Amino acid sequence: MSPTETEPRPAPEGYAETAYRADAIPEQSYAPQNEMLRGRILEARLPWGSYLGLNPTTYQYSESWYREYQYIGDDYHDHTMINETRWSQRVDENIGDLYRLFRFLFVIYSHGFSFIRAGGGAGGVIFTGISVFSSVFATVLYLFSSNPDKPSFPLFILGVPLTVATFCGIATLLLQFWEKHELKFYKGNRNWSNDHALCRRTGMVKTPRGTFPFYEFDAFLEMTVGAQGSQFHSLMLIHRYPHRSPASHTKHPLQLYISADGSIAQHYAAWDMLQRYMDVSQPLPDIPQLEPFRHLDPTTRAYDEAGKRGRPATYWRDLYARASEAELKELREAHRAEVDGAAWGGRPDLMERSVPNFGETRQSEPQDVNAYGRFPWKAGPLVERPEAASPEDSPQETPRQEPPPR
C-alpha cells in the first residue's frame, strides 16, 4: 500500500470523519485467530467491495413494508427498522412485562390454533384432524357398543368437534383482528434501537459491547445442520478483533445476524446491499423501505438530483399502490432469478489491502455459489479471488429498472 493511500481523506459533507468509504479504508492491525469460532461451519467469507448493485429479493419486494408505510404515515421514519441514518438490529419497547406476557400468549393462541394461517391460507390442520378423528372414533365406539342402556344419540359425539371448532374459531377471529390492527400494538411503543445498529452517518456499529468501526466486521456464511440432516445458511457479521470486544458472561464472539431468505446468492446480495448502505460514497440502496428517506441523505440526494437514479421519487410507493399481488409475484420471481444468476463468486476482496494477513485466509469460491450450497460436488471448478485493485475501481451502483406492472 502506497503512503498516499494511508492518508486520511475528508468525509463528504454531512457525514462524520469516521464515516465508512470503500475508497478510504484505513490500515489495520493483523487479524488474530478467533478461537471463539472453533467448531462452527463457516463456509465462506464474503468479499469487501466489488459491488454488483443487487439487493436481496426480500428487501426489494417486501410483502409487509407498504402496509406499515400506509398505516404509520408521518411517523414511519422513527417506527421502521431502516432509515437514512441507522439500520437497527433490535427493538426497544417501552412496555411492562405483564403486557409483553399478554401479547406473547395472545399471538401464540391466535396464530397457533387458528383455522387460517397468518397472512392467509389454510391453518389449524392438526386440530381439525384431531376433531374429525375423535368424532369418528366416538361414533365407532357407540355403534359397536353392546351396552343395552346406551342412549339413542350420544351428545359426546358432537361434543369433541364442537369444542375444537369453538376453540379454533375464536383463535381465527382473534388472528383476523390481529392482522387488521397489528400496528396498533406497536405504533405507540415500538422504537427501533439506536444503540444496537449500523450507523451510516458515522460508519460505526453500535452494540451492547461497545461501538466499533464497520470495517472491523467480516461477513460469513454459516451453515447449520438440522436434526434430519437438512442444511441452513445464515449471514453473520463477526467482529474481526475479539480481544477488543470481550464479554464476561459468554464465550460467543461479537456478531450480528443479517436476515436474508432464499438461496446463498440472496445472502451475497444482502452483504452487497449492507455495504452500499454503509458506504457514504454510494447512494442508499434502492429498496422500498429507504425510498421515503433518500432526500435526507446527502450522497443520495445529490445522486438523485443529478438524474442518476432514473426513477421518480415515489417509484416504489406508486408501484405497490397500483400493482396486484400477481404482478408483484411476477416481478419478485424475475428479480430472484436475476440475483441467483449473478456472478457472485471469484471477486476480489478489498479488505486485503488494509489488513496485513487478510489474504492468508483467502478461500477459493465456486463459480456457482447456489450449486455449491445445494450440491458441493456438482458446483463446478473453484475460482481464486484476484488481487484487489484500487478501491476507486469499485463500481458505482447502477439503477436497475424494474418493468412497470401490466
Side-chain angles (χ1 to χ4, degrees), residues 40 77 157 179 194 202 253 255 277 315 319 345 349 377 389 394:
R40 295 173 60 170
H77 181 277
I157 292 180
E179 294 197 328
N194 290 324
T202 63
Q255 62 183 21
Y277 173 82
Y315 172 81
L319 173 65
D349 194 330
W377 57 92
S394 183

Side-chain angles (χ1 to χ4, degrees), residues 225-361:
V225 181
Q228 298 179 346
S230 55
Q231 298 179 3
F232 305 92
H233 290 86
S234 303
L235 177 59
M236 310 296 298
L237 299 191
I238 301 177
H239 193 225
R240 189 183 308 125
Y241 303 102
H243 59 286
R244 299 178 187 169
S245 54
S248 58
H249 61 283
T250 178
K251 295 182 178 180
H252 298 300
L254 175 57
Q255 62 183 21
L256 302 173
Y257 166 76
I258 305 299
S259 62
D261 299 329
S263 62
I264 287 182
Q266 296 289 337
H267 291 80
Y268 273 79
W271 175 232
D272 192 282
M273 175 186 66
L274 196 63
Q275 287 184 88
R276 287 181 283 113
Y277 173 82
M278 291 295 291
D279 189 346
V280 297
S281 68
Q282 298 281 312
L284 290 170
D286 200 348
I287 57 176
Q289 295 95 319
L290 285 170
E291 183 177 66
F293 318 127
R294 292 181 67 89
H295 66 287
L296 301 176
D297 179 73
T299 299
T300 310
R301 181 172 60 248
Y303 182 88
D304 291 353
E305 289 177 351
K308 295 181 180 180
R309 185 189 183 198
R311 289 173 172 170
T314 57
Y315 172 81
W316 290 112
R317 186 193 69 184
D318 297 341
L319 173 65
Y320 277 79
R322 67 173 180 262
S324 66
E325 180 54 39
E327 290 167 335
L328 288 174
K329 181 179 180 181
E330 182 179 346
L331 293 172
R332 190 179 297 119
E333 293 307 314
H335 183 268
R336 190 178 303 278
E338 182 182 9
V339 172
D340 289 349
W344 296 108
R347 294 176 295 147
D349 194 330
L350 191 62
M351 197 58 67
E352 291 184 8
R353 299 171 57 87
S354 301
V355 179
N357 63 331
F358 209 66
E360 296 175 6
T361 58

Side-chain angles (χ1 to χ4, degrees), residues 189-211:
N189 53 53
R190 183 178 66 173
N191 299 289
W192 290 98
S193 173
N194 290 324
D195 297 322
H196 198 277
L198 295 93
C199 304
R200 175 174 169 90
R201 293 286 177 94
T202 63
M204 307 301 283
V205 179
K206 293 184 176 181
T207 75
R209 301 192 196 180
T211 300

Side-chain angles (χ1 to χ4, degrees), residues 101-254:
L101 177 62
F102 169 77
R103 192 176 65 191
F104 173 76
L105 295 176
F106 181 91
V107 171
I108 291 294
Y109 173 54
S110 62
H111 288 59
F113 296 91
S114 172
F115 284 123
I116 61 173
R117 292 198 309 267
V125 176
I126 294 177
F127 299 97
T128 304
I130 292 175
S131 174
V132 173
F133 175 79
S134 301
S135 301
V136 172
F137 184 71
T139 302
V140 170
L141 288 179
Y142 170 75
L143 293 176
F144 287 91
S145 174
S146 59
N147 184 359
D149 297 328
K150 67 181 180 180
S152 58
F153 183 77
L155 293 179
F156 72 87
I157 292 180
L158 294 178
V160 173
L162 285 176
T163 301
V164 174
T166 302
F167 185 78
C168 295
I170 294 175
T172 303
L173 294 176
L174 291 177
L175 177 59
Q176 292 176 327
F177 172 81
W178 170 269
E179 294 197 328
K180 184 177 180 180
H181 302 286
E182 173 187 1
L183 294 173
K184 291 183 179 179
F185 285 83
Y186 286 105
K187 186 175 179 180
N189 53 53
R190 183 178 66 173
N191 299 289
W192 290 98
S193 173
N194 290 324
D195 297 322
H196 198 277
L198 295 93
C199 304
R200 175 174 169 90
R201 293 286 177 94
T202 63
M204 307 301 283
V205 179
K206 293 184 176 181
T207 75
R209 301 192 196 180
T211 300
F212 306 93
F214 174 63
Y215 52 74
E216 290 188 356
F217 289 80
D218 294 319
F220 289 90
L221 274 180
E222 181 174 19
M223 185 186 75
T224 55
V225 181
Q228 298 179 346
S230 55
Q231 298 179 3
F232 305 92
H233 290 86
S234 303
L235 177 59
M236 310 296 298
L237 299 191
I238 301 177
H239 193 225
R240 189 183 308 125
Y241 303 102
H243 59 286
R244 299 178 187 169
S245 54
S248 58
H249 61 283
T250 178
K251 295 182 178 180
H252 298 300
L254 175 57

